[in-house]
Structure formats: structure tokens, C-alpha cells
């Protein structure tokens, strides 16, 4: 692996410490952003979401590269595993957008229906 | 069979693949574990895609800080604390797994067994936490895959009835979440008067939240919990094999421990995203 036993022990301890710190930071940030820690202080949704996603991706990177030793695999293996995974992450984000599109479409249909029914009442 | 036995247990450094070039300079077992994990990622992604699409297609969604805010010992209204503890248990077990793999590289049998046992303890603690969470949701809050008593107000109002944890005259605003409690085995849909917006003055009753919430929660955390459970079972088998000296004889630096390690870290990795989507956002 290119590291001595004591070196890899150090790397593992360092990695787990960073992961723990990021997790605490995530929780504190989420609670602060949603107004649980400082009274009356809120952050916009996109900011909370964006920071959370970035922190989670950093955690995923550390787990895959340090704990699962992806760092030491040949580039071909890295690509065959990571490219499909990144496409999956994109699919999750894309379908989340799709979900809000469904919501807007439903609201639109509901409005059209209520307009149509009031028009019918007026005709009679 | 005979030639296979020779190549596995021979004294010379055996090639990891018999015949041909080694793809990606990885052993057969490790490479297949990577692709198994990739296929597993597809399944989890399917679940998370369903979650993202359904959650954002609903006009309201129960606020996670309200739903997941209880701790053992009758502590309530402490958002995220219990699930953070669960996250730390799983992270700690990932660390002990890394240590087990490192001891394997050193061919240190005692070290491998010790750190694997600690990993198993971590996995069991996580499963215990999840069992408690599910028991609370099903037993005391009566959430099932078909009925979701958690909802979120879309307009401000004032309660017209006494409930389990609210009194007549208590007010609420849009965006606050509520739980419909059961009384004598029946859900109590409390009546309230709308005090804001175009429906001001109307009298309404609390309604169940989006049905998909319960189903998604139980299926996603259940599928993940099933992975933790199978992981614990495999860890136990491999730990016993290691203790019996089986991997010592193979002289391949405890590769089996390394493979189950990959699986265990993957389970931790999935939890990072379940934690993000279900509890943090």
C-alpha cells in the first residue's frame, strides 16, 4: 500500500477524526439554520441544503478513498465504479427537480378545474 | 479441482487469476465485491430517487426535526440527537473495521479478531438503536406503511379541542408539524379554526400527512438495516474463521477481512446519504 503499519494507523485515526468533526458540524449547522440554537435566526433553504450536500460528499470521498482504499486502486477500476455512481447521484438530483415539477403541474390543473367549475355555475 | 488446490495453497506467490492478465491489478474477490457494491448502489439509488421525487411532489411533508426528536428515557423535542448518536456508532464501527484490515495486513490474528469483535458490537448497537426508533414510531406514534399520522400545517389556526399535547385555544402557524395521537385505539383528528389567508374563519380537522412518508421511511431504513444485519452475520462468520486460523493458512494477508471491510464501509457510506436526505434536509 506504500505506507508502513504505523503510518496507516495514523491515517485511519486522522480520517475518523475528520469524519466525526464534519458530522458534528453538519448537525450544528442544520440546527442553527433551522432556528433551534439562536432564537429567531434562520438560513435560506438552498444554503442549508447546499452546505449539507457538500459536507456529505466530502464524507463520502473520505470513506471511499481512505477507508475503502480506492486511492490505491488503478485508474480503470476507479472509473468503472465512480462514473456510474456519479450518474446515480445526478439521477437523484434530477428526480428531485422532477418531483417539484409534478407538484406545480398538479397545482396548475387544480386551478384550471376550479376556474372551469365557476364558469359552469355562471352559465346556468 | 486439483490444479485449483495447488494454486490456492501452493508455497509460491499464486496469481490471483488463473490464466490471462489480471484486470485492474485486483484480486478476483475484491473486484467482484466492488461490482456487487456498485449494483447495490443502484438499488439504494432507486429508493432515494423515489424519495426525492415523491417528497418534492407533495405540497407538505412532515418536518424531520419534529418526527425524529425522541430519545430513550422519555426525552422529547431534542431534534437530531438520537440519529446523530446512531451515525457516530456506525462511524466508530467503520474505524474498528479499518483497524481489523490493518492488523490483517500484518498477519496478526489476535488483532484481527479483537477489532472485528468490536466492529460486530458497533453493528449490534446500531441495530439496537434502529429497533428502538422503529418501536417508538410503530408502537407509540402509530405510523405504518399505509397510515402517516405526521403532518404539517399549511395555514395558521387555533385549536378548538383539547388534545394529547395541545389545549383548546393553542395557536399554530403554517410550517409547524403535528402528530395525530390515538385515543382508545382511534385517531383523534382535532378541529381547528383557520385564522389566516383566504380560508380565514373556516373550521377544519387535522388530516393525515402524505402516505408515502411512512412507506419510504420503513423501506429505506429497513433495507439499510437489513444490510447492517447481514453485515453483522458475515462479520461474525469471518471473525470465527479468522480465530480458527483459516485465513492464517491462506497467507494472503487476510483478504477475506478486507472484502467484508469494503462491504461494511459501503453500509456506512449509504447511511451518510440516508442521514442527509431523511434527517438533515
Amino acid at each position: 500500500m506504500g505506507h508502513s503499519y504505523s503510518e496507516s494507523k495514523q491515517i485511519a485515526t486522522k480520517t475518523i477524526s475528520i469524519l466525526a468533526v464534519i458530522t458534528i458540524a453538519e448537525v450544528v449547522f442544520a440546527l442553527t439554520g433551522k432556528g433551534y440554537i439562536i432564537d429567531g435566526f434562520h438560513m435560506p433553504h438552498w444554503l442549508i441544503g447546499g452546505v449539507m450536500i457538500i459536507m456529505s460528499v466530502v464524507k463520502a470521498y473520505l470513506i471511499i478513498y481512505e477507508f475503502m482504499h480506492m486511492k490505491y486502486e488503478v485508474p480503470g477500476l476507479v472509473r468503472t465504479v465512480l462514473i456510474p455512481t456519479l450518474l446515480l447521484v445526478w439521477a437523484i438530483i434530477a428526480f428531485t427537480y422532477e418531483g417539484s415539477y409534478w407538484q406545480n403541474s398538479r397545482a396548475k390543473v387544480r386551478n384550471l378545474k376550479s376556474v372551469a367549475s365557476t364558469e359552469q355555475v355562471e352559465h346556468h | 479441482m486439483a490444479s485449483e488446490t495447488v494454486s490456492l495453497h501452493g508455497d509460491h506467490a499464486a496469481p490471483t487469476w488463473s490464466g490471462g492478465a489480471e484486470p485492474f491489478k485486483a484480486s478476483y474477490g475484491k473486484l467482484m465485491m466492488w461490482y456487487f457494491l456498485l449494483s447495490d448502489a443502484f438499488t439504494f439509488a432507486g429508493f432515494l430517487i423515489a424519495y426525492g421525487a415523491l417528497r418534492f411532489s407533495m405540497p407538505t411533508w412532515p418536518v424531520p426535526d419534529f418526527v425524529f426528536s425522541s430519545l430513550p428515557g422519555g426525552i422529547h423535542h431534542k431534534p437530531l440527537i438520537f440519529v446523530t448518536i446512531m451515525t457516530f456508532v456506525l462511524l466508530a464501527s467503520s474505524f474498528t473495521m479499518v483497524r481489523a484490515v490493518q492488523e490483517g495486513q500484518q498477519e496478526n490474528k489476535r488483532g484481527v479478531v479483537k477489532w472485528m469483535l468490536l466492529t460486530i458490537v458497533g453493528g449490534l448497537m446500531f441495530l439496537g438503536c434502529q429497533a428502538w426508533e422503529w418501536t417508538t414510531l410503530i408502537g407509540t406514534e402509530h405510523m405504518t406503511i399505509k397510515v402517516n399520522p405526521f403532518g404539517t400545517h399549511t395555514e395558521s389556526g387555533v385549536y378548538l379541542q383539547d388534545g394529547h399535547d395541545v389545549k383548546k385555544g393553542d395557536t399554530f402557524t403554517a410550517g409547524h408539524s403535528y402528530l395525530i395521537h390515538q385515543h382508545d385505539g382511534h385517531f383523534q383528528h382535532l378541529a381547528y379554526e383557520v385564522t389566516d389567508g383566504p380560508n380565514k374563519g373556516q373550521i377544519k380537522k387535522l388530516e393525515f400527512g402524505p402516505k408515502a412518508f411512512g412507506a419510504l421511511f420503513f423501506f429505506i431504513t429497513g433495507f439499510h438495516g437489513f444490510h447492517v444485519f447481514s453485515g453483522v452475520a458475515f462479520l461474525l462468520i469471518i471473525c470465527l474463521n479468522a480465530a480458527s486460523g483459516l485465513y492464517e493458512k491462506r497467507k494472503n494477508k487476510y483478504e477475506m477481512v478486507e472484502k467484508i471491510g469494503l462491504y461494511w464501509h459501503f453500509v456506512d457510506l449509504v447511511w451518510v446519504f440516508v442521514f442527509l436526505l431523511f434527517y438533515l434536509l
Side-chain angles (χ1 to χ4, degrees):
Chain A
M1 295 269 155
H3 288 293
S4 73
Y5 173 67
S6 61
E7 270 175 343
S8 13
K9 245 167 91 171
Q10 268 181 0
I11 293 174
T13 317
K14 204 176 133 192
T15 310
I16 191 69
S17 315
I18 299 172
L19 284 169
V21 169
I22 296 177
T23 307
I24 294 174
E26 273 184 324
V27 173
V28 171
F29 190 83
L31 292 179
T32 313
K34 292 173 184 175
Y36 289 100
I37 295 188
I38 308 164
D39 253 351
F41 178 77
H42 288 268
M43 286 183 211
H45 264 294
W46 61 265
L47 184 64
I48 303 176
V51 172
M52 291 299 146
I53 290 169
I54 292 168
M55 288 205 236
S56 292
V57 169
V58 173
K59 278 166 82 178
Y61 167 81
L62 287 172
I63 292 174
I64 296 172
Y65 272 72
E66 297 292 350
F67 284 179
M68 299 170 93
H69 289 157
M70 191 60 120
K71 222 161 90 178
Y72 310 103
E73 303 292 353
V74 295
L77 174 53
V78 176
R79 278 196 288 265
T80 56
V81 173
L82 288 191
I83 291 173
T85 311
L86 288 174
L87 289 174
L88 289 177
V89 172
W90 170 77
I92 297 174
I93 296 169
F95 271 89
T96 306
Y97 271 99
E98 182 67 15
S100 30
Y101 176 75
W102 296 344
Q103 189 190 322
N104 294 339
S105 306
R106 275 199 207 118
K108 212 181 272 174
V109 170
R110 216 174 295 131
N111 283 340
L112 286 175
K113 271 187 185 161
S114 64
V115 169
S117 61
T118 42
E119 275 174 359
Q120 264 187 346
V121 172
E122 279 162 11
H123 275 294
H124 280 292
Chain B
M1 275 312 280
S3 63
E4 209 180 301
T5 319
V6 169
S7 71
L8 277 176
H9 300 293
D11 289 348
H12 61 285
T16 45
W17 299 67
S18 37
E22 294 174 15
F24 299 142
K25 297 198 172 89
S27 74
Y28 176 81
K30 258 170 80 176
L31 198 58
M32 291 305 125
M33 181 52 92
W34 270 114
Y35 292 130
F36 163 68
L37 295 180
L38 181 61
S39 72
D40 223 12
F42 271 77
T43 317
F44 273 110
F47 271 125
L48 296 180
I49 284 170
Y51 178 78
L54 287 170
R55 173 175 176 170
F56 288 94
S57 75
M58 306 283 172
T60 66
W61 195 256
V63 179
D65 311 332
F66 177 80
V67 181
F68 310 105
S69 64
S70 300
L71 274 89
I75 306 166
H76 297 287
H77 311 298
K78 295 273 178 259
L80 288 180
I81 302 302
F82 189 63
V83 75
T84 307
I85 295 170
M86 286 170 76
T87 308
F88 270 96
V89 168
L90 212 54
L91 274 179
S93 80
S94 241
F95 174 72
T96 56
M97 191 70 237
V98 172
R99 293 290 297 115
V101 174
Q102 286 172 349
E103 294 300 333
Q105 302 280 337
Q106 299 294 108
E107 294 282 359
N108 174 9
K109 190 171 99 176
R110 282 178 66 90
V112 170
V113 173
K114 180 182 111 187
W115 288 107
M116 281 196 82
L117 282 175
L118 285 173
T119 312
I120 293 169
V121 170
L124 290 175
M125 276 167 69
F126 181 85
L127 285 173
C129 290
Q130 204 169 35
W132 183 86
E133 194 182 33
W134 277 44
T135 308
T136 310
L137 281 169
I138 301 169
T140 50
E141 287 157 353
H142 305 286
M143 184 163 98
T144 67
I145 55 171
K146 283 184 179 168
V147 179
N148 164 31
F150 288 99
T152 298
H153 295 290
T154 49
E155 39 202 6
S156 304
V158 54
Y159 284 110
L160 303 175
Q161 271 178 296
D162 282 339
H164 183 265
D165 47 5
V166 292
K167 292 207 160 40
K168 186 180 170 180
D170 281 358
T171 56
F172 55 81
T173 50
H176 278 181
S177 287
Y178 54 83
L179 169 63
I180 302 178
H181 288 273
Q182 275 200 355
H183 190 69
D184 295 333
H186 294 284
F187 283 109
Q188 265 189 309
H189 299 266
L190 297 181
Y192 65 91
E193 189 184 329
V194 183
T195 55
D196 208 2
N199 297 327
K200 193 176 170 179
Q202 281 186 15
I203 292 178
K204 291 186 178 178
K205 283 187 163 192
L206 290 185
E207 280 178 30
F208 286 133
K211 211 184 221 182
F213 182 76
L216 286 166
F217 176 79
F218 286 125
F219 277 98
I220 294 175
T221 62
F223 194 58
H224 178 265
F226 174 65
H227 274 76
V228 177
F229 177 78
S230 341
V232 168
F234 283 119
L235 281 169
L236 200 59
I237 293 167
I238 290 166
C239 184
L240 289 174
N241 281 344
S244 77
L246 177 70
Y247 303 132
E248 211 166 27
K249 275 188 233 149
R250 288 188 186 170
K251 290 194 172 60
N252 60 2
K253 296 187 173 174
Y254 287 78
E255 198 192 279
M256 201 51 127
V257 178
E258 211 179 326
K259 282 185 277 190
I260 193 65
L262 284 179
Y263 176 83
W264 193 253
H265 296 312
F266 173 76
V267 170
D268 190 17
L269 185 64
V270 170
W271 184 253
V272 167
F273 288 98
V274 173
F275 182 55
L276 169 73
L277 280 171
F278 253 100
Y279 300 95
L280 288 178
L281 288 182

